PDB file of all heavy atoms in Angstrom:
ATOM      1  N   ASN A  37      -5.184   1.667  -4.448  1.00  0.00           N
ATOM      2  CA  ASN A  37      -5.176   2.709  -5.491  1.00  0.00           C
ATOM      3  C   ASN A  37      -6.252   2.576  -6.570  1.00  0.00           C
ATOM      4  O   ASN A  37      -6.118   3.135  -7.650  1.00  0.00           O
ATOM      5  CB  ASN A  37      -3.808   2.815  -6.162  1.00  0.00           C
ATOM      6  CG  ASN A  37      -2.798   3.512  -5.283  1.00  0.00           C
ATOM      7  OD1 ASN A  37      -3.142   4.266  -4.367  1.00  0.00           O
ATOM      8  ND2 ASN A  37      -1.528   3.272  -5.534  1.00  0.00           N
ATOM      9  N   GLU A  41     -13.363  -3.232  -4.562  1.00  0.00           N
ATOM     10  CA  GLU A  41     -12.859  -4.360  -3.798  1.00  0.00           C
ATOM     11  C   GLU A  41     -12.572  -5.534  -4.725  1.00  0.00           C
ATOM     12  O   GLU A  41     -13.178  -5.664  -5.785  1.00  0.00           O
ATOM     13  CB  GLU A  41     -13.882  -4.809  -2.748  1.00  0.00           C
ATOM     14  CG  GLU A  41     -14.105  -3.796  -1.653  1.00  0.00           C
ATOM     15  CD  GLU A  41     -15.075  -4.311  -0.598  1.00  0.00           C
ATOM     16  OE1 GLU A  41     -15.882  -5.232  -0.872  1.00  0.00           O
ATOM     17  OE2 GLU A  41     -15.028  -3.772   0.524  1.00  0.00           O
ATOM     18  N   THR A  42     -11.661  -6.378  -4.288  1.00  0.00           N
ATOM     19  CA  THR A  42     -11.397  -7.639  -4.966  1.00  0.00           C
ATOM     20  C   THR A  42     -11.814  -8.772  -4.036  1.00  0.00           C
ATOM     21  O   THR A  42     -12.064  -8.555  -2.854  1.00  0.00           O
ATOM     22  CB  THR A  42      -9.904  -7.776  -5.320  1.00  0.00           C
ATOM     23  OG1 THR A  42      -9.127  -7.703  -4.120  1.00  0.00           O
ATOM     24  CG2 THR A  42      -9.473  -6.690  -6.295  1.00  0.00           C
ATOM     25  N   HIS A  45      -9.182 -15.369  -1.935  1.00  0.00           N
ATOM     26  CA  HIS A  45      -9.402 -16.743  -1.513  1.00  0.00           C
ATOM     27  C   HIS A  45      -8.051 -17.295  -1.054  1.00  0.00           C
ATOM     28  O   HIS A  45      -7.110 -17.333  -1.851  1.00  0.00           O
ATOM     29  CB  HIS A  45      -9.949 -17.602  -2.650  1.00  0.00           C
ATOM     30  CG  HIS A  45     -11.189 -17.046  -3.257  1.00  0.00           C
ATOM     31  ND1 HIS A  45     -12.440 -17.290  -2.737  1.00  0.00           N
ATOM     32  CD2 HIS A  45     -11.376 -16.225  -4.321  1.00  0.00           C
ATOM     33  CE1 HIS A  45     -13.353 -16.649  -3.458  1.00  0.00           C
ATOM     34  NE2 HIS A  45     -12.715 -15.996  -4.424  1.00  0.00           N
ATOM     35  N   LEU A  48      -5.827 -23.519   2.096  1.00  0.00           N
ATOM     36  CA  LEU A  48      -4.905 -24.258   2.954  1.00  0.00           C
ATOM     37  C   LEU A  48      -5.018 -25.734   2.611  1.00  0.00           C
ATOM     38  O   LEU A  48      -6.099 -26.312   2.686  1.00  0.00           O
ATOM     39  CB  LEU A  48      -5.249 -24.031   4.426  1.00  0.00           C
ATOM     40  CG  LEU A  48      -5.339 -22.566   4.862  1.00  0.00           C
ATOM     41  CD1 LEU A  48      -5.929 -22.469   6.253  1.00  0.00           C
ATOM     42  CD2 LEU A  48      -3.988 -21.900   4.804  1.00  0.00           C
ATOM     43  N   GLU A  50      -3.174 -29.581   3.223  1.00  0.00           N
ATOM     44  CA  GLU A  50      -2.190 -30.380   3.951  1.00  0.00           C
ATOM     45  C   GLU A  50      -1.156 -30.922   2.974  1.00  0.00           C
ATOM     46  O   GLU A  50      -1.498 -31.442   1.912  1.00  0.00           O
ATOM     47  CB  GLU A  50      -2.893 -31.531   4.662  1.00  0.00           C
ATOM     48  CG  GLU A  50      -1.984 -32.290   5.592  1.00  0.00           C
ATOM     49  CD  GLU A  50      -2.724 -33.344   6.391  1.00  0.00           C
ATOM     50  OE1 GLU A  50      -3.933 -33.196   6.634  1.00  0.00           O
ATOM     51  OE2 GLU A  50      -2.061 -34.325   6.765  1.00  0.00           O
ATOM     52  N   THR A  55       1.760 -27.361   5.748  1.00  0.00           N
ATOM     53  CA  THR A  55       0.572 -26.875   5.060  1.00  0.00           C
ATOM     54  C   THR A  55       0.979 -25.991   3.890  1.00  0.00           C
ATOM     55  O   THR A  55       1.818 -25.104   4.036  1.00  0.00           O
ATOM     56  CB  THR A  55      -0.314 -26.055   6.029  1.00  0.00           C
ATOM     57  OG1 THR A  55      -0.654 -26.880   7.137  1.00  0.00           O
ATOM     58  CG2 THR A  55      -1.570 -25.565   5.345  1.00  0.00           C
ATOM     59  N   VAL A  57      -0.026 -23.034   1.478  1.00  0.00           N
ATOM     60  CA  VAL A  57      -0.937 -21.891   1.476  1.00  0.00           C
ATOM     61  C   VAL A  57      -0.891 -21.249   0.093  1.00  0.00           C
ATOM     62  O   VAL A  57       0.178 -20.924  -0.410  1.00  0.00           O
ATOM     63  CB  VAL A  57      -0.538 -20.847   2.549  1.00  0.00           C
ATOM     64  CG1 VAL A  57      -1.498 -19.677   2.534  1.00  0.00           C
ATOM     65  CG2 VAL A  57      -0.469 -21.490   3.929  1.00  0.00           C
ATOM     66  N   SER A  58      -2.060 -21.076  -0.511  1.00  0.00           N
ATOM     67  CA  SER A  58      -2.162 -20.403  -1.806  1.00  0.00           C
ATOM     68  C   SER A  58      -3.119 -19.228  -1.671  1.00  0.00           C
ATOM     69  O   SER A  58      -4.154 -19.343  -1.010  1.00  0.00           O
ATOM     70  CB  SER A  58      -2.681 -21.360  -2.877  1.00  0.00           C
ATOM     71  OG  SER A  58      -1.839 -22.481  -3.007  1.00  0.00           O
ATOM     72  N   ASP A  66      -9.788  -4.520 -16.037  1.00  0.00           N
ATOM     73  CA  ASP A  66      -8.807  -4.700 -17.105  1.00  0.00           C
ATOM     74  C   ASP A  66      -8.372  -3.345 -17.656  1.00  0.00           C
ATOM     75  O   ASP A  66      -8.672  -2.986 -18.793  1.00  0.00           O
ATOM     76  CB  ASP A  66      -9.406  -5.579 -18.203  1.00  0.00           C
ATOM     77  CG  ASP A  66      -8.380  -5.997 -19.231  1.00  0.00           C
ATOM     78  OD1 ASP A  66      -7.173  -5.869 -18.960  1.00  0.00           O
ATOM     79  OD2 ASP A  66      -8.791  -6.451 -20.309  1.00  0.00           O
ATOM     80  N   LEU A  71      -4.166  -3.276 -13.340  1.00  0.00           N
ATOM     81  CA  LEU A  71      -2.932  -4.051 -13.472  1.00  0.00           C
ATOM     82  C   LEU A  71      -1.894  -3.610 -12.448  1.00  0.00           C
ATOM     83  O   LEU A  71      -1.282  -4.437 -11.772  1.00  0.00           O
ATOM     84  CB  LEU A  71      -2.364  -3.907 -14.888  1.00  0.00           C
ATOM     85  CG  LEU A  71      -3.140  -4.589 -15.995  1.00  0.00           C
ATOM     86  CD1 LEU A  71      -2.581  -4.190 -17.353  1.00  0.00           C
ATOM     87  CD2 LEU A  71      -3.120  -6.088 -15.814  1.00  0.00           C
ATOM     88  N   SER A  73      -2.315  -2.105  -9.588  1.00  0.00           N
ATOM     89  CA  SER A  73      -2.743  -2.472  -8.248  1.00  0.00           C
ATOM     90  C   SER A  73      -2.575  -3.975  -8.015  1.00  0.00           C
ATOM     91  O   SER A  73      -2.138  -4.402  -6.940  1.00  0.00           O
ATOM     92  CB  SER A  73      -4.202  -2.059  -8.027  1.00  0.00           C
ATOM     93  OG  SER A  73      -4.594  -2.299  -6.700  1.00  0.00           O
ATOM     94  N   THR A  82       2.869 -11.895  -1.019  1.00  0.00           N
ATOM     95  CA  THR A  82       4.138 -12.611  -0.859  1.00  0.00           C
ATOM     96  C   THR A  82       4.803 -12.214   0.453  1.00  0.00           C
ATOM     97  O   THR A  82       5.261 -13.059   1.219  1.00  0.00           O
ATOM     98  CB  THR A  82       5.074 -12.311  -2.048  1.00  0.00           C
ATOM     99  OG1 THR A  82       4.428 -12.716  -3.255  1.00  0.00           O
ATOM    100  CG2 THR A  82       6.393 -13.035  -1.905  1.00  0.00           C
ATOM    101  N   MET A  86       5.598 -14.576   3.796  1.00  0.00           N
ATOM    102  CA  MET A  86       6.946 -14.699   4.355  1.00  0.00           C
ATOM    103  C   MET A  86       6.955 -14.326   5.835  1.00  0.00           C
ATOM    104  O   MET A  86       7.596 -14.992   6.656  1.00  0.00           O
ATOM    105  CB  MET A  86       7.932 -13.821   3.577  1.00  0.00           C
ATOM    106  CG  MET A  86       8.210 -14.328   2.191  1.00  0.00           C
ATOM    107  SD  MET A  86       9.538 -13.464   1.307  1.00  0.00           S
ATOM    108  CE  MET A  86       9.052 -11.756   1.458  1.00  0.00           C
ATOM    109  N   LEU A  88       4.395 -14.537   7.912  1.00  0.00           N
ATOM    110  CA  LEU A  88       3.683 -15.586   8.625  1.00  0.00           C
ATOM    111  C   LEU A  88       4.584 -16.801   8.842  1.00  0.00           C
ATOM    112  O   LEU A  88       4.633 -17.369   9.934  1.00  0.00           O
ATOM    113  CB  LEU A  88       2.426 -15.982   7.847  1.00  0.00           C
ATOM    114  CG  LEU A  88       1.555 -17.063   8.467  1.00  0.00           C
ATOM    115  CD1 LEU A  88       1.048 -16.641   9.843  1.00  0.00           C
ATOM    116  CD2 LEU A  88       0.384 -17.375   7.538  1.00  0.00           C
ATOM    117  N   LEU A  92       5.580 -18.291  12.466  1.00  0.00           N
ATOM    118  CA  LEU A  92       5.168 -19.642  12.843  1.00  0.00           C
ATOM    119  C   LEU A  92       6.343 -20.575  13.096  1.00  0.00           C
ATOM    120  O   LEU A  92       6.338 -21.374  14.019  1.00  0.00           O
ATOM    121  CB  LEU A  92       4.273 -20.246  11.756  1.00  0.00           C
ATOM    122  CG  LEU A  92       2.872 -19.658  11.630  1.00  0.00           C
ATOM    123  CD1 LEU A  92       2.177 -20.215  10.409  1.00  0.00           C
ATOM    124  CD2 LEU A  92       2.055 -19.934  12.890  1.00  0.00           C
TER     125      LEU A  92
END
Side-chain angles (χ1 to χ4, degrees):
N37 285 338
E41 293 183 338
T42 59
H45 305 275
L48 306 170
E50 188 174 333
T55 302
V57 180
S58 301
D66 189 16
L71 290 172
S73 185
T82 301
M86 290 188 308
L88 181 60
L92 289 172

